[in-house]
Amino acid sequence: MPTRAAGSDSGIQPGSALSIGDLANAAETKPVTIRYYERMGLLPVPPRTSSNYRAYSEVHLHRLRFIRRCRDLGFTLDQVEDLLQLSSDEHRDCTEVDRLAAAHLQAVEIKIADLTRLAEQLRQISRSCRGRRTIANCRIIEALSPL
Amino acid sequence: MPTRAAGSDSGIQPGSALSIGDLANAAETKPVTIRYYERMGLLPVPPRTSSNYRAYSEVHLHRLRFIRRCRDLGFTLDQVEDLLQLSSDEHRDCTEVDRLAAAHLQAVEIKIADLTRLAEQLRQISRSCRGRRTIANCRIIEALSPL
DNA sequence: CTTGACCCTATAGTTACTATAGGGTCTAGG
DNA sequence: CCTAGACCCTATAGTAACTATAGGGTCAAG
């Protein structure tokens, strides 16, 4: 926190809290994103220092890393919220988690298929444009133009 | 326009202008999207009827279809604007069009690669969750949690 | 005349951040 | 002690490409 030891690049002192910058670095994200997650309700509001700085604990770091991991895997914030909820209920059956992950995987696979088709169309369009031409007889422009 | 012939599903009358709804249907988009494109400067402002309705010509339809085709292929509106500009200059060399299309294809291919890696990660994570378990020992939650 | 489909403008919302503005706090170094 | 730079804070607007909502006007068939 507002007591950075020389040579310490994380700013974490034994037993002391994390500043938002430290938390951001530890979770490989940015302070502005953390504030956003707090506003969205994904991260609990942390205690403050006397100078009104946020003071985070390892619990926050753990939770933020979970959120970032989910985001990196493409889950929406709504889905992340669901996963957080599910993960906090230890006695709960985990088929819901299973279902969420499977649905998301399917959505990603569909997106891949869409993009693959799109790429093929683009290749076809580009393939028809060879050498130096003018716009007047540009095959790409032609392909983009309606009948 | 405000004179729909019975049985005519497009509302287009010989020699008459198109309403925004007719234009939207003909280009397989929505009136609200067309107004948006007009605001963004992609579509020229059309003349109006005495009742302040927009009155579109076939030229507008042609241009809108071009825009939609580009959008369907994933070009950003900025890129579409560039392509429109390029396409209107008939004597221009078309290497710029070529370059735009190639850059876009590459971006799509990169996105496919990203998503493919992501899908594989999701498969690995899901694969580790078999049968009915509780959250306490859910392998998916475990995989989402930091060390 | 009524009603439902369509038109109009203005503005805010969606998603997940991100930029900007304006001001306070901390600390190392001179 | 002062300064400067790095960091903190809140509030708000912006990004991309639409889309929803609110409130009001026009058209035409029944």
Side-chain angles (χ1 to χ4, degrees):
Chain A
M1 282 303 289
T3 310
R4 285 199 195 87
S8 164
D9 57 4
S10 73
I12 304 178
Q13 295 299 315
S16 69
L18 295 163
S19 71
I20 195 168
D22 297 333
L23 187 71
N25 287 331
E28 291 171 33
T29 187
K30 297 157 73 173
V32 70
T33 306
I34 295 172
R35 289 191 202 97
Y36 174 70
Y37 290 159
E38 180 186 305
R39 277 202 311 282
M40 291 297 109
L42 289 183
L43 277 178
V45 178
R48 299 286 182 121
T49 64
S50 55
S51 40
N52 203 32
Y53 283 22
R54 291 170 173 78
Y56 293 101
S57 65
E58 291 290 335
V59 173
H60 283 100
L61 177 56
H62 189 271
R63 190 176 174 93
L64 181 58
R65 276 182 170 150
F66 183 95
I67 292 168
R68 293 308 315 163
R69 177 70 172 136
C70 294
R71 286 293 305 124
D72 287 341
L73 289 171
F75 288 101
T76 63
L77 289 186
D78 271 353
Q79 288 169 327
V80 175
E81 196 159 11
D82 289 343
L83 287 167
L84 283 168
Q85 198 100 349
L86 290 169
S87 72
S88 67
D89 191 350
E90 301 197 334
H91 304 296
R92 187 189 190 99
D93 181 58
C94 81
T95 57
E96 187 62 20
V97 175
D98 215 11
R99 196 190 62 74
L100 255 188
H104 182 48
L105 174 56
Q106 187 175 21
V108 173
E109 280 166 346
I110 287 168
K111 185 68 192 175
I112 292 171
D114 286 347
L115 286 175
T116 301
R117 270 194 304 274
L118 170 52
E120 184 47 42
Q121 282 185 68
L122 283 167
R123 273 185 214 104
Q124 276 185 325
I125 287 178
S126 293
R127 196 179 293 137
S128 64
C129 187
R130 285 286 180 269
R132 309 192 57 155
R133 291 164 171 266
T134 60
I135 299 286
N137 53 12
C138 171
R139 290 295 165 75
I140 292 179
I141 295 290
E142 214 170 278
L144 294 175
S145 300
L147 302 176
Chain B
M1 281 308 285
T3 311
R4 285 199 195 87
S8 166
D9 58 3
S10 74
I12 302 178
Q13 295 299 316
S16 69
L18 294 162
S19 69
I20 195 168
D22 298 332
L23 187 72
N25 287 331
E28 290 171 31
T29 186
K30 300 157 75 175
V32 71
T33 306
I34 295 172
R35 286 189 204 100
Y36 175 70
Y37 291 158
E38 182 186 306
R39 277 201 313 281
M40 293 297 109
L42 289 184
L43 277 179
V45 177
R48 299 284 182 124
T49 64
S50 55
S51 40
N52 202 30
Y53 284 21
R54 288 168 175 84
Y56 293 100
S57 65
E58 292 290 333
V59 172
H60 283 101
L61 177 56
H62 190 272
R63 189 174 174 94
L64 181 59
R65 279 185 169 146
F66 183 96
I67 292 168
R68 292 308 314 164
R69 176 69 173 136
C70 294
R71 287 292 305 126
D72 289 339
L73 289 171
F75 288 101
T76 64
L77 289 188
D78 271 355
Q79 289 170 326
V80 175
E81 196 157 13
D82 287 343
L83 287 167
L84 284 168
Q85 198 100 349
L86 290 169
S87 73
S88 67
D89 191 350
E90 302 196 332
H91 304 297
R92 188 190 189 97
D93 180 58
C94 79
T95 56
E96 188 61 21
V97 175
D98 214 13
R99 196 192 61 76
L100 255 187
H104 182 48
L105 175 55
Q106 186 174 21
V108 172
E109 282 166 344
I110 287 169
K111 185 66 193 176
I112 291 172
D114 285 347
L115 287 174
T116 301
R117 273 195 303 273
L118 169 51
E120 184 45 43
Q121 283 184 69
L122 283 168
R123 275 186 213 104
Q124 278 185 324
I125 286 179
S126 294
R127 197 177 293 138
S128 65
C129 187
R130 286 285 177 272
R132 307 195 57 163
R133 291 163 170 270
T134 60
I135 299 286
N137 52 12
C138 172
R139 291 295 165 77
I140 293 180
I141 295 288
E142 213 171 279
L144 295 174
S145 300
L147 301 177

